[in-house]
Amino acid sequence: MDLRSPSSELLARFASIVGAGNAITEAAEIAPRLIENRGLYHGKSSMILKPGSTEEVSAILKLASETHTPIVPQTGNTGLVGGQTPSEDGTAIILSLERMNRIRDIDPLANVMVVDAGCILADVQKAAESVHRLFPLSLGSEGSCRIGGNLSTNAGGTAVLAYGNMRQLCLGLEVVLPTGEIWDGLRRLKKDNTGYDLRDLFIGAEGTLGVITGAVLKLFPQPAGHQVAFIGLPSPDHALRLFEKASNLCGTALTGYELMPRIGIDFTTRHIANVRDPLPTVHDWYVLIDISTNDSAETAEAMMHNLLEQGLESGLIEDAVIASSVAQQKALWHMRESMSDAQKPEGGSIKHDVSVPVSKIPSFMAEAERRVLAAMPCARICAFGHLGDGNIHYNISQPVGADKAAFLGRWREMNAIVHALVLEAGGSISAEHGIGQLKRDELAAIRSEIEIDLMRRIKRSFDPAGIMNPGKVIALS
């Protein structure tokens, strides 16, 4: 595609759409938007545009298509695969939706909320709480990530087990196409069987097909009862068997089931402020269980006690503690959600966001450890995640005292080892973080020729000028 660096005259035309105060050209202000969260990607851009309305987004994309100017949509800049980072050639303009942060409407009776795509996730959660409702998406970055990015990456988080990911939490979208046309699909219907589901094309597309500017989100009743327990056990196999008991006993009340290794607890207690080991003795593995019920606190309490009693009687559990207050519940979740950040002070970390069938998690963990340590004997494996939905963050921290750059230089080698095993198990190399730049070429290598061709046809159909987030998700040649 003939993508051009914008001239000063063209930059002025773009700036006139949003107003000079919302067109950022100072290098120091642009710099934080050019770096991916883990520092893997560094881009260049001469301008950030901050539109305040869907109409302004439309005018920006219309001009971009006419002038073949690349556009990189960006919301909270919390992505982990480089999907929000412009290329190093400096041709792209960053489109930030941070000004588009209105809660447009809340309908607690229908259990829906209509929001701008620039709304911060935590603000959406609070808005739901204000009408005694729950928006269940929960992420470690929820204080800074925004709904448009959550939708564009089909974010998952810790409550997928009960509520699904963003694809299941969204009823309708408003999208600006690369041509500047506006698709108003803000439908509030749970049943709408009228032709192709255009909504699903844009969710998970990472800004390569258009810009999501608004969404209809599903809300749920706030739980009447809530229990959180932290459990020590010997192995992932024990955790899987306990999960089966929890599923049978709790059904849809089981809202979270997180698996963590001992090394992850060591990292968090060492590096995260106000985090302590919840249990008095050391265990090889841990599970965080979250139960939420709609009828009463007593029901949730009875479920949790019954589950722990059965787990202890069957030898699956070595020790456990139940949070006795909301503050303790939050503290346990904070420890789990801090596990990625706790790896940073330990040096380089090679990340994998993978999913495998739940029943295969123990065998996957064991074989992955064997293969990784065979290639790098002193590596420290910190594999944790959402056992209930099969999503494991298989992270590898550098050996103690190793050279960080040399370790990170083996990123692709470690990816190949872990991802090969994931594919053998019938899993996915991207569970919830997306493809972006990081996994674009690998996606093309593992998907069938017809799947890649269909993706390219969709991309060309929606974005014939090739301006939308070029170089991400799917290469056109």
Side-chain angles (χ1 to χ4, degrees), residues 354-410:
V354 301
S355 63
V356 296
V358 172
S359 62
K360 295 184 178 181
I361 286 178
S363 59
F364 163 76
M365 299 283 260
E367 182 62 16
E369 179 176 356
R370 187 189 70 78
R371 295 187 191 185
V372 167
L373 293 181
M376 190 183 293
C378 294
R380 295 174 293 166
I381 299 170
C382 185
F384 60 93
H386 323 300
L387 185 146
D389 59 42
N391 179 193
I392 299 297
H393 300 294
Y394 199 90
N395 297 344
I396 305 169
S397 286
Q398 70 178 61
V400 175
D403 178 78
K404 181 178 179 179
F407 170 77
L408 293 177
R410 299 182 68 180

Side-chain angles (χ1 to χ4, degrees), residues 12-34:
R13 291 177 65 188
F14 277 111
S16 68
I17 296 172
V18 298
N22 298 309
I24 310 304
T25 56
E26 293 294 328
E29 291 187 62
I30 295 175
R33 297 285 194 158
L34 303 178

Side-chain angles (χ1 to χ4, degrees), residues 236-252:
D237 182 63
H238 287 75
L240 178 63
R241 286 188 280 155
L242 183 64
F243 173 69
E244 182 180 16
K245 287 185 178 294
S247 297
N248 292 337
L249 179 65
C250 304
T252 58

Side-chain angles (χ1 to χ4, degrees), residues 293-370:
T293 60
N294 288 330
D295 52 1
S296 69
E298 291 74 20
T299 300
E301 183 178 3
M303 278 186 180
M304 186 66 82
H305 281 281
N306 192 5
L307 173 61
L308 296 185
E309 287 174 5
Q310 290 188 24
L312 287 166
E313 289 173 359
S314 58
L316 298 178
I317 294 174
E318 294 176 332
D319 197 5
V321 62
I322 299 175
S324 60
S325 66
V326 173
Q328 288 186 9
Q329 292 175 352
K330 290 181 177 179
L332 290 174
W333 272 111
H334 177 62
M335 179 177 62
R336 159 61 186 88
E337 290 167 348
S338 300
M339 206 156 283
S340 289
D341 287 341
Q343 290 178 262
K344 293 178 181 178
E346 295 291 329
S349 178
I350 297 175
K351 312 285 189 179
H352 304 84
D353 164 47
V354 301
S355 63
V356 296
V358 172
S359 62
K360 295 184 178 181
I361 286 178
S363 59
F364 163 76
M365 299 283 260
E367 182 62 16
E369 179 176 356
R370 187 189 70 78

Side-chain angles (χ1 to χ4, degrees), residues 34-76:
L34 303 178
I35 303 173
E36 180 262 349
N37 190 48
R38 295 196 297 233
L40 295 179
Y41 297 99
H42 298 76
K44 294 180 182 179
S45 180
S46 52
M47 177 176 277
I48 298 176
L49 293 173
K50 298 182 179 182
S53 68
T54 300
E55 289 71 27
E56 288 184 357
V57 175
S58 172
I60 289 167
L61 294 193
K62 186 174 186 295
L63 179 57
S65 282
E66 292 172 354
T67 58
H68 290 259
T69 305
I71 298 293
V72 176
Q74 204 177 91
T75 51

Side-chain angles (χ1 to χ4, degrees), residues 110-315:
N111 282 315
V112 297
M113 179 190 303
V114 186
V115 304
D116 281 351
C119 285
I120 292 173
L121 173 56
D123 292 339
V124 170
Q125 295 168 341
K126 291 174 185 176
E129 290 172 7
S130 72
V131 294
H132 309 291
R133 291 294 183 267
L134 171 73
F135 182 65
L137 181 68
S138 181
L139 307 170
S141 60
E142 61 194 29
S144 54
C145 67
R146 298 176 187 264
I147 292 299
N150 300 149
L151 287 162
S152 292
T153 57
N154 191 27
T158 57
V160 169
L161 174 61
Y163 298 102
N165 52 24
M166 278 300 280
R167 198 179 298 278
Q168 283 73 52
L169 295 175
C170 176
L171 291 171
L173 292 177
E174 176 185 80
V175 180
V176 180
L177 303 178
T179 56
E181 297 166 285
I182 300 171
W183 171 54
D184 182 356
L186 292 174
R187 302 184 181 97
R188 307 184 183 202
L189 305 173
K190 291 186 177 180
K191 290 186 174 181
D192 183 6
N193 202 8
T194 52
Y196 301 130
D197 193 338
L198 300 176
R199 174 200 58 179
D200 273 357
L201 280 174
F202 295 103
I203 298 175
E206 301 183 46
T208 61
L209 302 180
V211 177
I212 296 172
T213 52
V216 180
L217 304 177
K218 292 182 185 178
L219 303 180
F220 298 84
Q222 285 187 331
H226 187 206
Q227 290 277 301
V228 178
F230 187 78
I231 297 164
L233 33 69
S235 71
D237 182 63
H238 287 75
L240 178 63
R241 286 188 280 155
L242 183 64
F243 173 69
E244 182 180 16
K245 287 185 178 294
S247 297
N248 292 337
L249 179 65
C250 304
T252 58
L254 182 62
T255 47
Y257 197 94
E258 301 290 306
L259 178 67
M260 294 164 280
R262 179 64 215 179
I263 192 172
I265 306 302
D266 290 339
F267 285 171
T268 53
T269 55
R270 186 181 306 158
H271 300 298
I272 304 299
N274 301 317
V275 171
R276 64 178 183 84
D277 193 335
L279 297 176
T281 56
V282 171
H283 304 272
D284 289 338
W285 289 88
Y286 299 86
V287 163
L288 180 66
I289 295 180
D290 193 295
I291 292 174
S292 299
T293 60
N294 288 330
D295 52 1
S296 69
E298 291 74 20
T299 300
E301 183 178 3
M303 278 186 180
M304 186 66 82
H305 281 281
N306 192 5
L307 173 61
L308 296 185
E309 287 174 5
Q310 290 188 24
L312 287 166
E313 289 173 359
S314 58

